[in-house]
Amino acid sequence: WTSGILFYKQCARCSLIICFGVCLFSTMFLPRKNSPILLNISFLLTDIISGLQLQLHSDVDKGDGKVKYVLSGEGSTSIFTIDENTGDIHATKRLDREEQAYYTLQAQAVDRLTNIPVEPRSEFVVKVQDINDNEPKFLDGPYMAGVPEMSALGTTVVQVAATDADDPTYGNSARVVYSIISGQPYFSVDPKTGVVRTALPNMDREVKDQYVLVIQAKDMVGQMGGLSGTTSVTVTLTDVNDNPPRFSRKNYQYMVPESLPVASVVARVKALDNDIGPNAEMEYRIMEDGPGVFNITTDEDTQEGIIILQKPLDFESKNSFNLRIEATNRNIDPAFVHLGSFSDTTSVKVTVEDVNEPPVFSTQLSKMVVSEDARVGISIGRVSAHDPDSSNSAIRYSIDRNTDLERFFNVDALSGVISTAKPLDREVNSVHNLTILAMESHDPTQVGKGFAVITVLDINDNPPVFAIEYETLLCENASPGQVIQTISAVDKDEPPSGHRFYFALPLSVAGNSNFTLRDNKDNTASIVTKRGGFRRREQVLYRLPVLIVDSGSPALSSTNTLSVSVCDCDSDGVAQSCGAVAYTLPAGLSTGALVAILGCIITLLVMVLLIVSMRRRKKEPLILEEERDVRENIVRYDDEGGGEEDTEAFDMVALRNLNVIRDPKVRRDVTPDTPTFFPYPRSSSSLPVYKTLPDNVVFREFIWDRLKDADVDPSAPPYDSLQTYAFEGNGSVAESLSSLESLSTDSEQNYDYLSNWGPRFKKLADLYGDGKSVFS
């Protein structure tokens, strides 16, 4: 086997075409002539090569085209191809070591017709040799870093790192060095390690707080022709407390009204600090004049000193204050104490403005006492107020009537003396809380408020009474000397030494034979029986008057009545029944007789109820009968009518001729009990002549007339009724032949025209005519 490599590479810098020729031979032991040889061939190919040509040739190939070359292995179809006739191997794509560094291929010569190998398979390895085609890259960039301001020279800031995809074992393609392109002279970078450090000491954040560095990494150890990559490093100087607070002014002046409420903000001052965050936090304090009147605190959001009023201001007593304010850093860094004091002071002058103030009471709360029996108009006490202003205006007093709705008290407008206006009652209201108003005479809008608490002293004006409403029960078997009730008393008055009540029976009942009273000397008394043998049949209820006297001065008394009910009690003295005894029947009537009498009475009551119920049912008509009472009854009969002369069975007037005048007040369905007083026109001229109208109009007008008659009839029932009319219409030339109208006494019909109708109507003409016939 012989192998040859021919490939071309275009130089990136000089644009030259370089031709390389390599022939590698490997010989194995040859046991016999013309035996196949297995070659292990290793090719070193430079990176990014295209147009690679490798030729394989077999000794069996005589050039007659009977041998075919076959290539297999990695990339045998996509990257490498072989000419089956000549054995030339070509690289069809650019090779990149960073994607794949080795390719293992197998080549074999076979018979073109039978595909039987004529040589053993040969294997060779193509190794792609690296070139410097990748620049260094900062995979973690761009970088953000921070370093405290005022740091020493050489303080480490951050470390950067760049990687190169080229082969680090071959040449210097992957050996990088670092350099700083932008950021000098403040920072530097170590060429080998990439550590960024400060290059200047004491960099001040307040001058510049951020720097942007550009770091370069270059391969080929930084030599010319090497590739490079860059990244940015943003360095922020962090703050340290290296600046003391400073007031922008040494003197401040503020003016406040003397009426400013306590706890109000008087002024705000601020010391400036170039530091930020905790390094700029302040503490303020008042050093001179006014620590008791004013106080200062720190606003945590703005770091301002807030001066707050602690006591009321009075222009008349002091009209200005000179305060000395000190501001100090709260967090002082010992490393920078050598720079100087971290505090500053300023002066604040507070001037008090005079305002027209309301009157002020000498005593804000006045306490007074008055007896509840004090007469109307008596003086109780006095309140006093003055104008705190220099004008010292006169004061007028009044009572806020919202605190004295019933007007028990008055106040003198000039002197402020409070007096009673109505009689007082301690038991109704023992304490009165009044609001006294004081206003300036020259300016009524200036009103001051004071308070007066008036306590009403008690007198003995209420008699004692029973503490509760007693219900006393007395057993019939009570023995003499038995306590049946213990009573106590209450009194609305409240004497200073407490209550002491005395109990007794009035003289009128002191000598009764039933009960007596024993005073227990502890504000209670016991009711005791004098005898036994109480019986309900004799007396059910006893009323015992009790006299109660208090210890007041003067003493008051009241007589209260105690009701004692006689009861039947068991052996333990528990009441079973009280009140009157039920009436008892004679002893000769047994229990059985009582039961029989009661049964008879119940039986009689049941029978009476049944009889009454049955009678009511007979009187109540059935619902069906009520429904039939609508003039819709159908009368059935078997007999024939009596002819024209039978006028009893029906109301023949309803079947009369329509043109016959009738009284509209007469109902066809009911017979009125009382005459009607509604007028109706009697003249024939006002009545419609139905025979002159069309049939449909005739029927409609006929029905409407009947409807009007029913509407104006006061004797008509309140419910709907059915009226039937036998109306034949007016279509006959002979008009109506009915003789029913002969029943009407008002008819003036002339039937002489019947004699003109011929022989067929001769009989009718004789009956209804005037007796003359044309046929006679």
Side-chain angles (χ1 to χ4, degrees), residues 253-261 264-268 293-294 307-309 311-315 318-321 323 348-355:
Q253 291 187 358
Y254 298 97
M255 299 185 68
V256 295
E258 63 174 331
S259 59
L260 187 69
S264 298
V265 176
V266 176
R268 287 175 176 263
V293 179
F294 301 95
I307 302 175
I308 300 174
L309 181 65
K311 293 181 180 181
L313 299 175
D314 188 5
F315 174 82
K318 189 171 184 178
N319 57 15
S320 66
F321 297 86
L323 310 180
V348 177
K349 183 178 182 179
V350 180
T351 302
V352 180
E353 295 179 331
D354 187 23
V355 296

Side-chain angles (χ1 to χ4, degrees), residues 682-688:
R682 303 292 296 177
S683 62
S684 60
S685 61
S686 62
L687 295 176

Side-chain angles (χ1 to χ4, degrees), residues 52-68:
L52 171 69
Q53 183 175 348
L54 173 68
Q55 186 178 22
L56 301 178
H57 185 73
S58 173
D59 295 339
V60 181
D61 186 5
K62 302 301 182 181
D64 54 4
K66 293 182 179 181
V67 177
K68 180 176 68 174

Side-chain angles (χ1 to χ4, degrees), residues 269 284-285 295-300 303-308:
V269 295
Y284 296 90
R285 69 186 183 97
N295 186 28
I296 189 168
T297 60
T298 302
D299 187 329
E300 297 299 333
Q303 295 301 315
E304 291 178 310
I306 305 175
I307 302 175
I308 300 174

Side-chain angles (χ1 to χ4, degrees), residues 84-273:
E84 63 180 12
N85 297 319
T86 63
D88 295 338
I89 299 175
H90 301 273
T92 61
K93 293 183 179 180
R94 295 171 59 89
L95 302 180
D96 190 352
R97 187 201 66 84
E98 285 71 36
E99 292 182 1
Q100 186 167 349
Y102 298 92
Y103 295 91
T104 302
L105 300 174
Q106 295 86 29
Q108 192 173 25
V110 298
D111 186 273
R112 184 178 297 276
L113 298 178
T114 63
N115 286 330
I116 298 176
V118 297
E119 292 281 0
R121 184 185 300 274
S122 299
E123 181 178 278
F124 56 92
V125 177
V126 178
K127 179 180 180 182
V128 182
Q129 179 178 312
D130 185 38
I131 64 173
N132 187 19
D133 59 341
N134 291 280
E135 71 277 3
K137 295 182 179 180
F138 293 91
L139 301 181
D140 297 330
Y143 294 86
M144 304 291 293
V147 63
E149 63 171 332
M150 310 301 290
S151 296
L153 178 65
T155 301
T156 299
V157 178
V158 68
Q159 183 176 14
V160 298
T163 58
D164 196 319
D166 293 328
D167 189 359
T169 63
Y170 180 78
N172 296 324
S173 299
R175 295 179 62 184
V176 299
V177 293
Y178 301 96
S179 62
I180 184 168
I181 297 178
S182 176
Q184 295 174 337
Y186 305 102
F187 298 92
S188 62
V189 61
D190 188 286
K192 295 182 179 180
T193 62
V195 175
V196 180
R197 296 183 174 88
T198 58
L200 291 178
N202 301 327
M203 286 187 290
D204 193 353
R205 185 199 66 83
E206 287 73 32
V207 176
K208 186 176 182 180
D209 61 348
Q210 194 174 78
Y211 298 84
V212 179
L213 315 181
V214 178
I215 306 296
Q216 182 188 65
K218 189 174 183 180
D219 58 12
M220 300 298 293
V221 200
Q223 297 177 1
M224 183 176 295
L227 303 179
S228 64
T230 60
T231 187
S232 65
V233 179
T234 302
V235 181
T236 301
L237 297 183
T238 59
D239 186 53
V240 297
N241 193 4
D242 59 336
N243 294 280
R246 291 290 181 263
F247 284 103
S248 59
R249 295 163 55 185
K250 289 301 180 181
N251 294 282
Y252 295 87
Q253 291 187 358
Y254 298 97
M255 299 185 68
V256 295
E258 63 174 331
S259 59
L260 187 69
V262 174
S264 298
V265 176
V266 176
R268 287 175 176 263
V269 295
K270 183 176 183 180
L272 301 179
D273 193 329

